[in-house]
């Protein structure tokens, strides 16, 4: 008889800013994936005692600003040190914003705008959102189920992103399959089946000139959905993109994903729609997500959610497990590009 394994402990922040509903869903998901969730207050985080018994920490959905107000300085130093020494961080929605170096939330909206820097900076670029319109702090009227796409090998590698940009001028149409800068091209057969997951106010992750060589795009928002469903992209760009020669042209999703014109263009486009990113941080790892893969049909099947969303969640509950699986594989160092 095989010996029983002791579930590994994972800290879940549950103080100011953390949605109780999101905390509950996160704890349920961790339990189903053989972890033991341990909820933490602000004082618990700052004390650092949890770092001796937990393999990771999760910042769930909610509101990023209270996270920052409570943990700036001492608390963030404890978290950052924990990850650098080999722990992992999972930031979902608000936690994804919080784990980025910069935030642009509802920029231009005087009632909701947050444009600020953050200290954890696991992702060195900018979290820009909401990715889709209609978000409200007061209710779930902005919720929806969104489609994500994943590269066949598991991620879009940007390990040498800056080199790829520099190499742009050297890549010509005579070399459509060039891998200069180790940036992988997309082709018509390089996408997995779409996965549908719950979304409510999350972001896209944009480099904005930052060095993202330590980060990988695990999942991207599917541009086909925005065409078929007539959804607006209000933060991350639009179908009209500035192409590498400086001219402007209108592109559909096939152009965005399958045009291997050059490695610079490909790297730019995959980051424009990054929904879930994985980052190497010292000896540890972090995953930041603009969507809610921890949310299942049972979590939304009540009067607080839109009937259309409930129906879609019932149909795609197995699909979100694929996203969750890729997240935990990356965090545990078992992803396709492990080092």
């Amino acid at each position: 008889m095989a010996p029983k394994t002791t579930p590994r402990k994972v800290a879940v922040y549950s103080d100011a800013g953390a949605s109780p509903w999101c905390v509950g869903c996160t704890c349920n998901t961790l339990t189903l994936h053989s972890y033991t969730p341990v909820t933490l207050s602000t004082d618990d985080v700052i004390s650092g005692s949890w770092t001796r018994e937990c393999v990771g920490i999760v910042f769930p959905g909610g509101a990023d600003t209270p996270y920052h107000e409570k943990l700036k300085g001492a608390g963030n130093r404890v978290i950052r040190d924990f990850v650098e020494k080999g722990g992992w961080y999972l930031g979902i929605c608000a936690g994804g914003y919080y784990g980025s170096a910069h935030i642009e939330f509802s920029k231009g909206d005087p009632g909701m705008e947050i444009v600020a820097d953050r200290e954890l900076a696991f992702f060195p670029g900018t979290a820009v959102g909401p990715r889709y319109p209609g978000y409200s702090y007061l209710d779930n009227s902005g919720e929806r189920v969104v489609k994500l796409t994943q590269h066949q090998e598991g991620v879009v590698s940007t390990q040498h992103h800056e080199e790829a940009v520099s190499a742009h001028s050297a890549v010509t149409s005579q070399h459509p399959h060039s891998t200069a800068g180790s940036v992988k091209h997309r082709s018509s057969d390089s996408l997995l089946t779409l996965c549908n997951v719950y979304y409510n106010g999350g972001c896209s992750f944009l480099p904005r000139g930052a060095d993202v060589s330590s980060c990988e795009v695990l999942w991207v928002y599917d541009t086909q959905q925005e065409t078929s469903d007539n959804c607006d992209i209000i933060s991350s760009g639009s179908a009209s993109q500035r192409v590498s020669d400086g001219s402007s042209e209108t592109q559909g999703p096939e152009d965005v994903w399958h045009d291997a014109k050059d490695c610079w263009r490909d790297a730019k486009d995959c980051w424009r729609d990054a929904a879930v990113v994985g980052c190497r941080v010292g000896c540890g790892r972090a995953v930041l997500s603009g969507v809610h893969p921890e949310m299942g049909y049972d979590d939304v099947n009540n009067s607080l959610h839109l009937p259309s969303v409930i129906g879609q969640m019932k149909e795609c509950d197995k699909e979100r497990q694929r996203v969750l699986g890729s997240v935990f594989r990356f965090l545990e160092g078992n992803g396709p590009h492990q080092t």
Side-chain angles (χ1 to χ4, degrees):
M1 182 176 178
K4 293 183 178 180
T5 58
T6 302
R8 294 158 296 171
K9 293 183 178 180
V10 172
V12 179
Y13 187 71
S14 61
D15 210 328
S19 159
W21 177 55
C22 292
V23 170
C25 294
T26 298
C27 290
N28 290 339
T29 293
L30 289 170
T31 300
L32 290 173
H33 284 262
S34 300
Y35 296 103
T36 299
V38 180
T39 56
L40 300 183
S41 67
T42 298
D43 290 341
D44 292 333
V45 172
I46 295 173
S47 75
S49 59
W50 57 277
T51 63
R52 295 188 289 272
E53 61 179 9
C54 293
V55 298
I57 185 169
V58 182
F59 271 68
D64 150 88
T65 298
Y67 293 169
H68 176 70
E69 291 174 345
K70 290 286 188 178
L71 295 168
K72 61 184 177 183
N76 287 332
R77 284 194 295 271
V78 171
I79 298 168
R80 178 85 192 190
D81 183 66
F82 168 71
V83 176
E84 289 180 346
K85 290 181 177 178
W88 53 255
Y89 172 99
L90 173 57
I92 303 172
C93 200
Y97 285 101
Y98 191 57
S100 302
H102 313 286
I103 293 175
E104 285 186 10
F105 182 82
S106 292
K107 187 175 181 179
D109 183 338
M112 297 178 66
E113 178 180 285
I114 301 172
V115 178
D117 296 336
R118 291 293 183 255
E119 295 175 341
L120 292 178
F122 297 130
F123 175 64
T126 304
V128 182
R131 175 62 168 69
Y132 297 95
Y135 176 74
S136 172
Y137 278 119
L138 303 178
D139 54 37
N140 291 317
S141 58
E143 68 180 359
R144 64 181 70 199
V145 173
V146 300
K147 292 182 176 68
L148 303 185
T149 305
Q150 186 188 47
H151 189 268
Q152 191 172 30
E153 294 185 17
V155 296
V156 178
S157 175
T158 56
Q159 193 164 2
H160 301 291
H161 176 80
E162 295 303 323
E163 293 178 20
V165 174
S166 299
H168 163 242
S169 60
V171 181
T172 68
S173 59
Q174 282 75 31
H175 303 282
H177 301 294
S178 171
T179 55
S182 298
V183 177
K184 301 185 185 300
H185 293 297
R186 292 184 176 273
S187 63
S188 58
D189 61 352
S190 66
L191 302 180
L192 288 177
T193 303
L194 299 174
C195 288
N196 294 276
V197 293
Y198 182 83
Y199 169 93
N200 196 1
C203 61
S204 293
F205 299 94
L206 284 68
R208 290 280 178 87
D211 178 5
V212 293
S213 59
S214 62
C215 303
E216 296 173 351
V217 181
L218 302 182
W219 291 87
V220 296
Y221 294 103
D222 176 53
T223 54
Q224 184 71 47
Q225 180 188 40
E226 283 136 21
T227 300
S228 61
D229 295 350
N230 197 30
C231 298
D232 296 322
I233 308 176
I234 63 172
S235 300
S236 304
S238 66
S240 179
Q241 294 298 318
R242 181 75 54 184
V243 297
S244 57
D245 63 3
S247 63
S248 180
E249 64 180 34
T250 299
Q251 296 178 293
E254 290 300 311
D255 298 310
V256 171
W257 289 118
H258 306 317
D259 182 358
K261 181 177 180 181
D262 55 59
C263 58
W264 176 85
R265 167 84 165 272
D266 190 63
K268 172 187 174 184
D269 284 339
C270 75
W271 277 108
R272 178 177 63 84
D273 283 306
V276 184
V277 297
C279 307
R280 291 174 177 79
V281 186
C283 295
R285 294 187 173 207
V287 168
L288 310 183
S289 176
V291 296
H292 285 274
E294 84 286 10
M295 300 292 183
Y297 168 68
D298 291 339
D299 299 311
V300 301
N301 188 22
N302 57 59
S303 61
L304 298 177
H305 298 276
L306 302 177
S308 60
V309 169
I310 295 173
Q312 291 177 73
M313 291 290 285
K314 185 175 183 179
E315 295 175 1
C316 69
D317 208 47
K318 290 184 178 179
E319 294 180 12
R320 72 180 181 90
Q321 295 293 341
R322 179 180 292 166
V323 181
L324 273 175
S326 69
V327 165
F328 287 123
R329 283 195 299 274
F330 183 91
L331 290 173
E332 295 290 354
N334 298 316
H337 293 274
Q338 68 185 87
T339 57

